[in-house]
Amino acid sequence: MSEIVLSKQELREVAAFAAACAEAVLAVFEADQPDDSRPRDAVSAAWEFARGGERGRNLRDTASAALKAAKNAESAAAREAAWAAMSAAGAAYLHPLAKATQVKHILGAGAYAARAAELVAGDDRSVGAEHIERMMLHATPAVVDVLKRFPMAPSGGGRVGELTRTLDAGLRSLSLAE
């Protein structure tokens, strides 16, 4: 299996993109669980890494805590929002393996966030599509470049998988100048 060279700065760009995606739906989780800061803590940890912090235990711990918070969510939308936060903290751990499954580290936060937005809107898929369009505006040329080094997102994964592939195709269609 071939490896993809990734710099720490590229990982920071990916983490910033994921954090921006997850941050957009934090309020969904917080409306469901107002006293639980674990997803917000995970997004904050992703931002901290993106802005020059270390890639270490805090990212792993907050990602794990956001995953546990998802299990406590009362609504499916809140659960998806917590998973978006977990994915944001995990984005810093994109592995340099040329495997389609690694695309989830880049796009998972965005796909979960779009699904959370859909569910809040009564499972309106047009809301997810609009959310994907807005998220594409957060992708820097570096994020698009990193994404294009990996195989396309894998099949499967239900609605979140569909959203991942939609975001993947949309970002791959951008030129690096955009």
Side-chain angles (χ1 to χ4, degrees):
M1 182 170 305
S2 63
E3 285 203 7
I4 295 169
V5 176
L6 297 169
S7 71
K8 190 174 264 189
Q9 184 55 40
E10 288 171 325
L11 290 173
R12 291 184 196 291
E13 295 272 349
V14 168
F17 171 70
C21 292
E23 192 170 59
V25 295
L26 277 175
V28 172
F29 179 83
E30 292 169 344
D32 186 271
Q33 299 292 314
D35 297 325
D36 191 341
S37 68
R38 293 177 291 180
R40 183 166 293 278
D41 295 343
V43 172
S44 293
W47 277 121
E48 183 179 323
F49 171 72
R51 293 177 177 139
E54 288 305 311
R55 187 176 78 158
R57 186 174 189 165
N58 188 45
L59 282 165
R60 285 189 185 102
D61 289 350
T62 59
S64 177
L67 178 61
K68 290 175 184 170
K71 293 176 184 176
N72 294 340
E74 293 186 22
S75 74
R79 193 170 28 261
E80 299 287 341
W83 285 336
M86 181 257 325
S87 295
Y93 291 97
L94 171 64
H95 299 291
L97 303 173
K99 293 177 67 175
T101 54
Q102 290 304 309
V103 171
K104 293 177 189 176
H105 281 289
I106 304 168
L107 305 178
Y112 285 121
R115 183 63 181 144
E118 284 181 347
L119 290 169
V120 166
D123 206 9
D124 183 344
R125 291 183 175 216
S126 70
V127 170
E130 290 168 9
H131 203 78
I132 295 279
E133 289 293 323
R134 282 193 305 276
M135 285 186 283
M136 287 176 54
L137 299 174
H138 292 290
T140 63
V143 170
V144 174
D145 178 59
V146 167
L147 178 64
K148 287 181 175 181
R149 291 186 223 162
F150 287 87
M152 294 189 73
S155 61
R159 180 63 182 149
V160 171
E162 290 174 24
L163 290 162
T164 301
R165 288 185 293 281
T166 299
L167 183 54
D168 185 26
L171 290 174
R172 287 177 192 272
S173 72
L174 298 175
S175 70
L176 290 179
E178 291 183 73

